[in-house]
Amino acid sequence: MLLPSEAIHAREDSMQKYGFTISALVGLVALTGCSGTEDPGRTTNEATGPTYYKDIAPLVNAECASCHQEGAIGGFSLTDADVAAEMAPAMAAAVAARTMPPMPVNNDGSCNTFKNARWLSDEQIALFESWSRAGAPLGDPADAPPPPAHEVPTLSGDIVEFDIGVDYTPKPADDKPDDYRCFIIDPGIDADAFMTGYDIQPGDRKVVHHVVLFSLADANAEADAAAMDAAEDGPGYTCFGGSGVKGSSIIAAWAPGSGATFLPEGTGIRYGAGRKLVLQMHYNVPAMGGPFTDRSKVKLALAKDPALTPAFLVPTGAFELSLPPGQERTEAKGELPLSWVAQQFNLPSFNGLRVFGALPHMHMAGRTLRSVAKSPSGEQCITDVDRWDFHWQDLWWNETPLEVSADSSIGITCAYDTRGRTETTVFGEGTGDEMCINMLYATVY
Ligand code: HEC
């Protein structure tokens, strides 16, 4: 019995709803799991096929445990053999659909592979399937692998550390579970520097769903952010897709499962002395439990090494879109000459861009995004998002950097499902607006 993972995934944005679905799911599996199988002999070591301890546990430790162990975001612990056995059909379905481990970007090699990929091979997927079909035998505990390693990479160099400045209790509005809140931060960086890495540490992992850090380009941008903050009660201000401020750009992002991030060696993002930042928090508040209080922290690694090559987060995309409602699939397309992009975003003069990674971005109606570089010498795929999920936004780091010559244009195609809408969807930062952006982490050459 395979449970359609889509059905499980139809959870909208509610972790609470999700929590409910999972218990219902476990119940369902418990009710039906044994109906066709005599006695899977789960706790004996007679099984000849794959067993939990021998075959599944090492995979779980490597690919699932960072989120599916006690206290982590995944909600249930797959390092617990009995839980895993009950979840076996759901695990097999989720890995077959590649909804788990979560990675919205295709990593099969047809459009690059990524250093921080969460990606199972076809053989590993088949192993989950055959284990589940055999009745999820546990096998011999003596075969169990050592417990999952807890190596937490830490930043090195000059570290600047700050938090959101308050103990914040997220307050979702209108019966929705989400609170999107922006906090202005003065990290007190008093000399020009390069950011070479970051580590965003959520305060309460039960409510922090994702985090985006924006730099503010100048005093005007800072004044705009301050005005938005002043216009609302309580700490921070409401913001959704971006910071809500012109002249701000993304410099870091966190989603569950990301740890400390080291920017590609020899590169860094320039940080102007005295400038402020905006930290956008997406809170997803369970209806049960609480009240929840968060004080998320950020560490930035800074270097003053003038030999570093400055990197830029270059927004490429379709910046105007108009999506008719009621469509199962409707597209936005853009094609931007790289020279135009360079001028628009103040890049220094260049022969081309060396692309180290990309951060694709759409909102809730987004389904797929494909970004390609087109030059007289041919086409080069940059990013292929084949299962967009707003919750798993991240910067995906190319295994091998791409070189995109200055005479190229960047084409992008985003597809959306607007069946839930009654009005035209346009480009914007609101929850009901859409975007179609692939932010490239690049240096010029
Ligand atoms: C980066 C974090 C992360 C990793 C790694 C991860 N999961 Fe999940 N998983 C989640 C979260 C969070 C949920 C809750 C639903 C959601 O938000 O998508 C979930 C839900 C699930 C579900 C419930 C059904 C579903 O499809 O939503 C199953 C089954 C599952 N995970 C299996 C796995 C397996 C098996 C692995 C490893 C091969 C794995 N997960 C790796 C975070 C993760």
Side-chain angles (χ1 to χ4, degrees), residues 24-295:
L25 173 72
V26 173
L28 188 64
V29 173
L31 280 175
T32 58
C34 294
S35 56
T37 350
E38 298 302 351
D39 172 11
R42 276 182 181 158
T43 47
T44 72
N45 55 3
E46 288 157 20
T48 50
T51 68
Y52 177 78
Y53 289 116
K54 186 160 60 65
D55 306 280
I56 299 298
L59 260 179
V60 162
N61 287 358
E63 307 290 346
C64 321
S66 62
C67 300
H68 290 290
Q69 58 185 309
E70 225 43 69
I73 182 93
F76 47 87
S77 174
L78 295 178
T79 56
D80 179 320
D82 295 320
V83 173
E86 292 205 337
M87 295 288 294
M91 289 163 77
V95 298
R98 290 201 181 278
T99 52
M100 287 289 147
M103 176 177 186
V105 172
N106 183 343
N107 189 63
D108 70 7
S110 59
C111 181
N112 302 310
T113 51
F114 301 88
K115 287 183 185 162
N116 54 336
R118 294 190 283 258
W119 194 258
L120 300 183
S121 66
D122 291 346
E123 292 72 32
Q124 291 170 323
I125 290 174
L127 196 57
F128 276 105
E129 167 63 20
S130 55
W131 173 64
S132 170
R133 210 157 357 102
L138 296 185
D140 186 348
D143 291 337
H150 284 286
E151 44 179 79
V152 183
T154 50
L155 298 176
S156 56
D158 269 352
I159 308 289
V160 176
E161 197 173 334
F162 49 87
D163 61 31
I164 58 176
V166 285
D167 292 327
Y168 181 68
T169 303
K171 294 177 204 71
D174 307 331
D175 300 338
K176 296 242 173 67
D178 302 292
D179 182 0
Y180 298 91
R181 200 85 186 157
C182 275
F183 298 89
I184 303 172
I185 287 160
D186 182 352
I189 298 170
D190 54 10
D192 288 354
F194 282 103
M195 181 179 97
T196 56
Y198 56 84
D199 189 3
I200 298 177
Q201 298 176 342
D204 185 341
R205 285 174 186 265
K206 289 190 285 307
V207 291
V208 178
H209 213 303
H210 75 258
V211 185
V212 184
L213 184 64
F214 297 85
S215 68
L216 296 173
D218 51 31
N220 286 340
E222 290 180 1
D224 286 354
M228 294 184 69
D229 193 310
E232 266 185 59
D233 288 342
Y237 61 92
T238 307
C239 58
F240 172 70
S243 68
V245 176
K246 272 214 180 70
S248 77
S249 49
I250 294 183
I251 57 169
W254 179 91
S258 359
T261 297
F262 307 87
L263 298 180
E265 190 149 6
T267 73
I269 294 178
R270 275 213 174 102
Y271 196 99
R275 289 268 77 89
K276 291 184 180 149
L277 296 163
V278 168
L279 192 65
Q280 182 192 47
M281 304 293 308
H282 170 192
Y283 295 107
N284 187 283
V285 185
M288 306 295 189
F292 300 95
T293 301
D294 174 61
R295 191 161 185 142

Side-chain angles (χ1 to χ4, degrees), residues 372-394:
V372 290
K374 302 176 187 176
S375 79
S377 54
E379 228 178 75
Q380 200 177 181
C381 192
I382 301 177
T383 313
D384 177 23
V385 178
D386 53 5
R387 292 148 287 121
W388 174 249
D389 185 337
F390 184 78
H391 291 140
W392 299 108
Q393 305 196 46
D394 224 327

